[in-house]
Amino acid sequence: MRLELQRKMNVSNQISDPDIHWMMRALKLARRGIGVTSPNPVVGCVVLDRAGQVIGEGWHEYDLLDHAEVVALKEAQQHAADRIKGGTAYVTLEPCSITGRTPPCTDALIKAGLARVVAATIDPNPAVAGRGAEALRAAGIQVDVGACQAEARRLNEGFAHWIQHHRPLVLMKVAMTLDARIAPPPGHQTPHAPYWITSEEARAAVQPLRWAADATMVGVDTVVADDPWMTDRSGLRRRRSLLRIVLDSALRMPLDCKLVTTAQNDVVIFTVSNDQARIGELTTRGVRVEVLPSEGGRVPLDKVLDKLGEEGVLTLLTETGTRLNTAFLAAGLVDRIHVFIAPQIMGSDAVPAFCGMPHFVNLADCEVERYGNDLGLSSLLRDPWPRERD
Amino acid sequence: MRLELQRKMNVSNQISDPDIHWMMRALKLARRGIGVTSPNPVVGCVVLDRAGQVIGEGWHEYDLLDHAEVVALKEAQQHAADRIKGGTAYVTLEPCSITGRTPPCTDALIKAGLARVVAATIDPNPAVAGRGAEALRAAGIQVDVGACQAEARRLNEGFAHWIQHHRPLVLMKVAMTLDARIAPPPGHQTPHAPYWITSEEARAAVQPLRWAADATMVGVDTVVADDPWMTDRSGLRRRRSLLRIVLDSALRMPLDCKLVTTAQNDVVIFTVSNDQARIGELTTRGVRVEVLPSEGGRVPLDKVLDKLGEEGVLTLLTETGTRLNTAFLAAGLVDRIHVFIAPQIMGSDAVPAFCGMPHFVNLADCEVERYGNDLGLSSLLRDPWPRERD
């Protein structure tokens, strides 16, 4: 049974408990790249000598060019050059076999004289996708793929989607009550505005989602109703500004809203309006306006995703309202959904998270977390990773 | 801080870790009374000799008359009569000081010569409510109250409510999708009927809820739509049949529905219709029909609860639909809510769990459980236990 499972998951039999230990360390290193690696994948690497001692560690950051394997090998060369030969490298992603901004990592690993390379998963890049492992094996290196595969794949869902489909992975965030309401009934009196549906803990959990995303999106209705900042306030390091996107068919965006007044080439409005005066007013305030062909008066979502893909946006976090939530789900464009649930019942006069849907959406394999008295559910609706070749 | 907390919770400083151990054993015994003790509270008791050895155990069952303390003392008297004096009794509920169907338990405990009585909580019965402890203390017995109080109170929420308000505790069960839908859109084609919202695991978890309840309730709309059995299929022992209640203002109940065809003096229809012919048809089939004064054409919920209280129903499990869920919540009649959530989004064309509400309902201190891929949330909306006298 276990063998069957391993075969199905393409997990090598050669993976031992120490391998899992070192791959978890490599994953920890990889996570240091979140926020500073996109549009590349985050990758971590640990190099051991023949005796099993760590002699090099590394992770990839886009601006530093070197891939994780090269960073780790350079460290090993500096401190223990005589002990690299016959060693093992743990990499959270299959080493690349192609020349991009740097030469192939497979060359560096082969040249270093390693005896074994353990990779968490194959590379989803169709230009690599197993060729890295093949090149290493052809050079006589033992290659084992599949250690901590699920964790490794989770880290690069955005990259896996983008490298294959040239569009960002869509991560839908919904913060709602137990009866799926995202705002109180119109006219409801609140002591403060905006009215927060979820707890402080749940709201704080949104910041890491923004941090790990390249872009976030709202509809203009949310801008008019709540005047959100949509900024990454995680306090964590990021290379590119979080792209703040607004879908605004008729260019109703108020010029005094926070998104406009804080725009620094990081706010993009997608519209189908050709109101040049309005576009000019927004542009002079540092807001980019992208005009797309109208689709029944609406901004075509697939064209938005195409455009964002072209710009190297790997992950788009939607923080939209009723209509756009429903439109994205109805069009089958949502890859992962993250729902925060405040245990409150508001009743049907309050604003619903979703309206009528052409089909049901099933959230398989939900991960559940508590945020104070609130709940968080996360589920992958469409796995962006290529299926294993069986 | 700990002292402050103990004082606030009226928890004695004299409660030690062994006390907690023995009270947990007494709670385990008490649970054996679920299903066979209502309309009395479930109670368990452990008697230790002076050396701390167990010499008697007992729990209460309605038909066996003896209270848990008396059962445990009788066992001790039989096997270790000479070792009772100076011993300790652990009781999950304050011993009664009144004569009901049996003499006061306080008399039995005093007569046995115990040195100490540890109770999990005071009795919510206003006729006892501390007088049991007082009587024991007056006889020179050390009495400590508060060991495992929360667990003990949880076991007798129904009794605590009924003994004070002469109405059952209302436990609302809702099985719904993530967007709070309890049935697919009208006309939706399903391969099987009825369409199950929640998983097999979640549905199985409803049976223990029915087992622990004295009555369950649906609206006639649910009967017409789903033709449910509403039976306790837990397979566990129960003394009285689960009372199956239908609210049916206009007596639309189909004569060939499962509730009618399986009725054995355990199905009660509350109505505001005086259609004697229809009432006769139902009565001859073993269904009881209770006619109540109309309240805007509807069955008055408070009168239903009064009537059930008169009949010794401690806990009513509502398994109702949109309108009744909302009516019970809107009227502030729900004491505990148990929501099963299937991680599916159906969209707003599907049947909602709740409609418009005059106020929001907050579920504080949610307990969360997994049932397969489904979730269960349980929250006490109104604590039926009397507040501690500070």
Side-chain angles (χ1 to χ4, degrees):
Chain A
M1 191 59 209
R2 186 168 149 74
L3 278 173
E4 175 64 13
L5 191 71
Q6 284 178 332
R7 197 191 57 76
K8 271 175 97 168
M9 297 187 64
N10 199 17
V11 171
S12 166
N13 288 329
Q14 306 305 317
I15 289 166
S16 65
D17 286 350
D19 290 342
I20 301 293
H21 169 84
W22 292 117
M23 191 59 82
M24 283 172 70
R25 172 67 191 158
L27 283 166
K28 208 167 171 178
L29 295 168
R31 284 187 193 99
R32 295 188 188 171
I34 300 175
V36 292
T37 307
S38 173
N40 281 359
V42 296
V43 186
C45 179
V46 174
V47 176
L48 306 188
D49 67 11
R50 206 173 348 193
Q53 299 294 308
V54 181
I55 52 173
E57 293 190 332
W59 68 93
H60 179 49
E61 295 190 13
Y62 189 85
D63 286 339
L64 304 180
L65 279 174
D66 280 345
H67 287 186
E69 301 91 318
V70 172
V71 176
L73 284 174
K74 279 185 180 171
E75 189 184 78
Q77 256 134 15
Q78 205 168 356
H79 301 293
D82 54 326
R83 288 157 57 203
I84 301 177
K85 219 177 151 72
T88 298
Y90 292 89
V91 203
T92 59
L93 188 69
E94 178 189 12
C96 68
S97 52
I98 53 175
T99 303
R101 298 192 304 153
T102 59
C105 287
T106 47
D107 289 359
L109 293 161
I110 293 165
K111 201 175 145 206
L114 292 174
R116 185 176 174 228
V117 171
V118 183
T121 174
I122 57 154
D123 192 330
N125 183 350
V128 184
R131 291 198 190 89
E134 278 168 31
L136 295 171
R137 286 191 183 115
I141 297 177
Q142 180 188 336
V143 180
D144 297 307
V145 180
C148 307
Q149 180 170 283
E151 297 89 326
R153 290 189 162 196
R154 178 72 187 263
L155 270 181
N156 283 313
E157 282 176 0
F159 174 75
H161 191 278
W162 178 77
I163 198 72
Q164 296 173 91
H165 307 295
H166 316 296
R167 278 182 180 182
L169 176 113
V170 177
L171 169 60
M172 173 170 283
K173 185 217 84 177
V174 183
M176 64 185 205
T177 63
L178 190 58
D179 61 334
R181 305 288 148 178
I182 55 173
H188 176 87
Q189 297 297 319
T190 46
H192 53 86
Y195 181 94
W196 297 116
I197 293 285
T198 47
S199 67
E200 205 178 318
E201 293 94 327
R203 291 187 332 259
V206 175
Q207 296 302 324
L209 295 180
R210 287 192 188 155
W211 172 55
D214 293 324
T216 182
M217 177 188 281
V218 283
V220 71
D221 286 334
T222 302
V223 176
V224 170
D226 295 342
D227 191 16
W229 296 98
M230 303 304 291
T231 45
D232 169 3
R233 295 185 293 279
S234 68
L236 298 162
R237 203 161 63 111
R238 68 181 304 142
R239 192 177 73 87
R240 301 189 287 185
S241 296
L242 178 67
L243 209 58
R244 298 180 285 167
I245 293 160
V246 183
L247 300 193
D248 183 6
S249 345
L251 288 179
R252 292 188 288 122
M253 189 85 166
L255 294 180
D256 61 348
C257 72
K258 293 196 187 96
L259 275 159
V260 172
T261 56
T262 64
Q264 289 187 306
N265 302 315
D266 60 339
V267 175
V268 185
I269 297 177
F270 284 92
T271 186
V272 295
S273 158
N274 255 314
D275 182 338
Q276 289 304 324
R278 192 71 179 163
I279 292 173
E281 285 176 321
L282 290 160
T283 308
T284 53
R285 284 167 174 81
V287 174
R288 174 150 62 106
V289 180
E290 293 282 348
V291 183
L292 292 174
S294 165
E295 207 165 68
R298 303 288 186 192
V299 176
L301 301 182
D302 52 348
K303 300 279 189 306
V304 172
L305 296 179
D306 284 341
K307 180 74 183 140
L308 294 177
E310 277 171 33
E311 297 186 12
V313 171
L314 305 194
T315 303
L316 167 67
L317 177 68
T318 66
E319 308 194 50
T320 48
T322 315
R323 205 188 61 75
L324 283 169
N325 287 349
T326 310
F328 270 102
L329 284 169
L333 292 173
V334 181
D335 298 291
R336 183 180 277 282
I337 187 165
H338 201 114
V339 184
F340 294 96
I341 304 173
Q344 182 178 61
I345 299 168
M346 278 193 166
S348 62
D349 299 331
V351 181
F354 316 99
C355 46
M357 299 254 295
H359 53 77
F360 301 166
V361 174
N362 290 304
L363 284 68
D365 300 322
C366 276
E367 292 164 24
V368 181
E369 286 198 68
R370 287 304 286 264
Y371 299 100
N373 200 34
D374 292 1
L375 286 178
L377 261 70
S378 187
S379 173
L380 196 60
L381 301 183
R382 300 196 304 185
D383 190 351
W385 281 82
R387 286 213 170 197
E388 297 296 339
R389 295 153 301 171
D390 246 351
Chain B
M1 190 59 210
R2 185 169 152 76
L3 278 173
E4 175 63 12
L5 192 71
Q6 284 178 333
R7 198 192 55 77
K8 270 176 98 170
M9 298 187 64
N10 199 17
V11 171
S12 167
N13 287 329
Q14 306 304 317
I15 289 166
S16 64
D17 287 350
D19 289 341
I20 301 293
H21 169 84
W22 292 117
M23 192 59 83
M24 283 173 71
R25 171 69 191 157
L27 282 165
K28 207 169 172 177
L29 294 167
R31 284 187 192 99
R32 296 189 187 169
I34 299 175
V36 293
T37 307
S38 173
N40 281 0
V42 295
V43 185
C45 179
V46 175
V47 175
L48 306 187
D49 67 11
R50 206 171 349 191
Q53 299 296 308
V54 180
I55 52 174
E57 292 190 334
W59 68 92
H60 179 49
E61 295 190 13
Y62 189 85
D63 287 339
L64 304 180
L65 281 175
D66 280 344
H67 287 187
E69 300 91 317
V70 171
V71 176
L73 284 174
K74 278 186 179 170
E75 188 183 78
Q77 257 134 14
Q78 205 169 357
H79 300 293
D82 54 326
R83 288 158 55 204
I84 301 176
K85 220 178 150 73
T88 298
Y90 293 89
V91 204
T92 59
L93 188 70
E94 178 189 11
C96 67
S97 51
I98 53 173
T99 302
R101 299 192 304 154
T102 60
C105 288
T106 47
D107 289 0
L109 292 162
I110 293 165
K111 202 175 144 204
L114 292 173
R116 186 176 173 227
V117 171
V118 182
T121 174
I122 57 154
D123 191 330
N125 183 349
V128 183
R131 292 197 189 90
E134 279 167 31
L136 295 172
R137 285 192 183 115
I141 296 177
Q142 180 188 337
V143 180
D144 297 306
V145 179
C148 306
Q149 181 170 283
E151 297 90 326
R153 291 189 160 194
R154 178 71 187 263
L155 270 180
N156 282 313
E157 281 177 0
F159 174 74
H161 191 278
W162 178 78
I163 199 71
Q164 296 173 92
H165 307 294
H166 316 296
R167 280 183 179 180
L169 178 114
V170 177
L171 169 59
M172 173 170 283
K173 185 216 84 178
V174 182
M176 65 185 205
T177 63
L178 190 58
D179 60 334
R181 305 287 149 179
I182 56 173
H188 177 86
Q189 297 296 320
T190 47
H192 53 85
Y195 181 94
W196 297 116
I197 293 285
T198 48
S199 66
E200 206 177 319
E201 292 94 327
R203 289 187 334 259
V206 175
Q207 295 302 325
L209 295 180
R210 286 192 187 156
W211 172 57
D214 293 324
T216 183
M217 178 188 280
V218 282
V220 71
D221 287 334
T222 302
V223 177
V224 170
D226 295 343
D227 192 15
W229 297 99
M230 303 303 291
T231 46
D232 169 3
R233 296 185 293 278
S234 68
L236 298 163
R237 203 161 64 111
R238 70 181 302 142
R239 193 177 73 88
R240 301 189 288 184
S241 297
L242 178 67
L243 209 59
R244 298 179 285 166
I245 293 159
V246 184
L247 300 193
D248 183 6
S249 344
L251 289 179
R252 292 188 288 123
M253 189 86 168
L255 293 179
D256 61 348
C257 73
K258 293 195 186 96
L259 275 159
V260 172
T261 56
T262 63
Q264 290 187 306
N265 302 315
D266 61 338
V267 175
V268 185
I269 297 178
F270 284 91
T271 186
V272 295
S273 160
N274 255 312
D275 182 338
Q276 289 303 322
R278 193 70 179 164
I279 293 173
E281 285 176 322
L282 289 160
T283 308
T284 53
R285 283 167 175 82
V287 174
R288 174 149 61 105
V289 179
E290 294 282 346
V291 183
L292 292 175
S294 165
E295 208 167 67
R298 303 289 187 191
V299 176
L301 301 181
D302 52 349
K303 300 279 189 307
V304 171
L305 296 179
D306 284 340
K307 179 75 183 142
L308 294 177
E310 278 170 33
E311 297 186 11
V313 171
L314 305 194
T315 303
L316 167 67
L317 178 68
T318 66
E319 308 193 50
T320 48
T322 315
R323 205 188 61 75
L324 283 169
N325 287 349
T326 310
F328 270 102
L329 285 169
L333 293 172
V334 180
D335 298 291
R336 181 179 278 282
I337 187 165
H338 201 114
V339 184
F340 295 95
I341 304 174
Q344 183 179 58
I345 298 168
M346 279 192 167
S348 61
D349 299 332
V351 182
F354 315 100
C355 45
M357 299 254 295
H359 53 77
F360 300 167
V361 175
N362 289 303
L363 283 68
D365 301 322
C366 277
E367 293 164 23
V368 181
E369 285 198 67
R370 285 304 286 264
Y371 299 100
N373 200 35
D374 292 1
L375 286 178
L377 261 71
S378 186
S379 174
L380 196 59
L381 302 183
R382 298 196 305 185
D383 189 351
W385 282 82
R387 286 211 170 199
E388 297 297 337
R389 297 152 303 170
D390 244 349

